[in-house]
Amino acid sequence: MPNDSKRKLRVVTIVYWVLLLYIIAALGWWAFSLLHQNNEIHDLRKAVLNPSAADYSTQQNNIEEARRRGIYKFLGEGSAFLLLILLGALFVYRSVRRQFRLQLQQQNFVMAVTHELKTPIAVARLNLETLQKYNLDEEKRNKLVQMTLQETLRLDTLINNILISSQLEGNAYRLSKEELDLSDLVKDVVKNFGARYPGRQVHPTIQEDVDIQGDAMLLKLLLSNLLENANKYSPKEKPIALTLAESSGTITLEVADQGPGIPDEEKKAVFEKFYRIGNEETRKTQGTGLGLYICKKIVKDHGGEIWIRDNQPAGSKFMVQLNAQV
Ligand code: ADP
């Protein structure tokens, strides 16, 4: 966390605790004073009682009863106030922390996007300048063109993710529900992925003729984000397994890698917007924390579910379940 944010969070936390303790102490003092007052009234009323009066014992009972009622009333009201104050305090505490976390993640996002936008442009520019300046042989030329193409594709995915996430969020994107052959769509994405990463082994098991009603562009983005992550977060020599199957109206899509896996306590959080595991200083991979957020949004918009399991023997397995007829 940057020092400035840390300092602000510390100040806010101190002010919060001081205020909360003051409010609780004031409430305690209020309860104490009222109980004390109640006792004093009780003693005074008792002192003016005439012991020789005929209804002395009835009056005495009434005074005791009034004292008891007073105690119950003040303790009851005090506990209700205390409960409300604690609930309010918990709510404020959680909102403030969430706000700080979001602010921090947004800062990281801006830093990451700036870097992710600049790098492919710089690489593409350098490659094109090299091609322009030198008369390279065909093999070198092809390699440079291939590298440039990869960088522009990376840029394209990044920009798509940013645009789609803001459109999906603002409901500006109209989901089209067309009849699709999901098996063909998945094969298509795997083919494109293979062209982008020729050295990477992908083991697909794709059931034929799995049909779905959905948005082709979004479903492709879903799968390519999952494959991109499997590629990014697992060693280059380890294969990625992909499965598409349908059984009694439920479609299951799985992408499994043999990377470091995702700890149980992070399995939900990685689907949050801008969320990335680890901290900015130690993280080696580039990214924006938008990919899985978009995946979840796409799956939800198609009426499905997405979750993570541990892959065996190692890595993570992303599970998507969709309805064959949405
Ligand atoms: P990005 O990859 O741009 O950081 P994502 O939303 O795609 O954003 O992923 C969020 C985080 O989840 C990543 O930063 C990474 O820490 C973790 N993650 C995603 N996919 C995998 C995976 N296949 N293996 C291990 N960790 C992963």
Side-chain angles (χ1 to χ4, degrees):
M1 199 185 287
N3 281 341
D4 195 34
S5 298
K6 257 191 200 161
R7 204 171 44 81
K8 264 195 217 153
L9 185 59
R10 207 176 307 130
V11 172
V12 169
T13 311
I14 291 172
V15 171
Y16 171 85
W17 281 112
V18 168
L19 273 178
L20 184 62
L21 288 178
Y22 175 76
I23 292 171
I24 291 176
L27 182 68
W29 178 246
W30 168 83
F32 173 78
S33 315
L34 286 177
L35 288 173
H36 186 67
Q37 201 180 47
N38 194 37
N39 280 342
E40 276 182 351
I41 292 173
H42 164 267
D43 293 347
L44 277 174
R45 288 178 71 187
K46 247 181 128 178
V48 296
L49 262 190
N50 180 4
S52 51
D55 60 347
Y56 175 72
S57 77
T58 318
Q59 283 199 40
Q60 203 177 25
N61 282 346
N62 285 347
I63 291 171
E64 291 303 333
E65 180 59 26
R67 179 185 181 219
R68 233 187 338 267
R69 270 209 310 271
I71 293 176
Y72 288 149
K73 186 176 143 201
F74 298 136
L75 287 183
E77 279 177 1
S79 314
F81 271 138
L82 185 64
L83 191 72
L84 282 179
I85 288 168
L86 290 179
L87 280 178
L90 184 72
F91 178 75
V92 171
Y93 186 75
R94 288 175 56 156
S95 320
V96 169
R97 292 212 70 103
R98 197 177 313 127
Q99 203 54 42
F100 264 99
R101 204 166 99 183
L102 197 66
Q103 191 190 346
L104 179 69
Q105 283 169 353
Q106 267 167 350
Q107 281 170 5
N108 289 343
F109 169 74
V110 172
M111 268 157 42
V113 165
T114 314
H115 182 273
E116 295 265 302
L117 284 175
K118 285 180 96 169
T119 313
I121 293 171
V123 173
R125 187 173 162 190
L126 190 72
N127 289 351
L128 290 175
E129 279 172 1
T130 312
L131 282 173
Q132 192 184 37
K133 251 194 214 158
Y134 305 102
N135 199 7
L136 301 170
D137 60 51
E138 199 175 333
E139 193 192 338
K140 280 191 183 140
R141 219 170 43 227
N142 281 343
K143 205 173 158 199
L144 278 183
V145 170
Q146 175 67 23
M147 271 168 63
T148 313
L149 210 57
Q150 269 202 16
E151 290 302 324
T152 54
L153 285 172
R154 198 152 77 98
L155 205 56
D156 192 43
T157 311
L158 171 71
I159 288 169
N160 258 347
N161 275 347
I162 295 173
L163 290 180
I164 289 289
S165 79
S166 69
Q167 285 179 355
L168 284 177
E169 226 165 44
N171 290 330
Y173 187 89
R174 285 196 71 79
L175 203 83
S176 72
K177 287 274 168 76
E178 20 169 350
E179 192 82 31
L180 295 171
D181 184 330
L182 193 59
S183 314
D184 284 350
L185 185 143
V186 171
K187 282 185 213 158
D188 214 31
V189 175
V190 174
K191 200 169 131 208
N192 283 341
F193 181 80
R196 281 178 73 174
Y197 304 100
R200 184 58 124 159
Q201 285 182 65
V202 179
H203 295 166
T205 312
I206 302 171
Q207 186 181 322
E208 289 296 332
D209 300 323
V210 175
D211 292 327
I212 190 171
Q213 275 192 7
D215 188 304
M217 201 278 281
L218 292 186
L219 290 170
K220 278 186 182 173
L221 189 64
L222 161 72
L223 185 57
S224 60
N225 274 345
L226 293 180
L227 284 173
E228 286 284 339
N229 276 356
N231 181 54
K232 191 158 67 168
Y233 297 106
S234 70
K236 297 280 164 265
E237 68 286 357
K238 301 276 187 194
I240 298 168
L242 183 149
T243 311
L244 174 72
E246 193 212 316
S247 161
S248 12
T250 302
I251 300 171
T252 313
L253 179 69
E254 297 175 12
V255 177
D257 62 59
Q258 298 184 27
I262 297 179
D264 284 347
E265 61 277 15
E266 305 272 17
K267 282 192 171 81
K268 261 196 161 158
V270 289
F271 292 104
E272 283 172 23
K273 197 173 185 185
F274 306 137
Y275 190 90
R276 308 194 70 216
I277 298 177
N279 68 52
E280 281 310 304
E281 284 100 51
T282 54
R283 200 180 291 124
K284 290 189 195 77
T285 51
Q286 292 302 321
T288 55
L290 274 179
L292 290 180
Y293 168 75
I294 291 173
C295 287
K296 180 154 186 167
K297 189 95 180 73
I298 294 174
V299 174
K300 283 262 167 236
D301 286 353
H302 282 81
E305 291 289 334
I306 181 167
W307 70 98
I308 304 170
R309 279 206 186 138
D310 290 331
N311 189 31
Q312 298 305 332
S316 33
K317 191 188 259 190
F318 284 80
M319 314 278 303
V320 177
Q321 226 165 50
L322 297 163
N323 273 335
Q325 291 300 323
V326 178

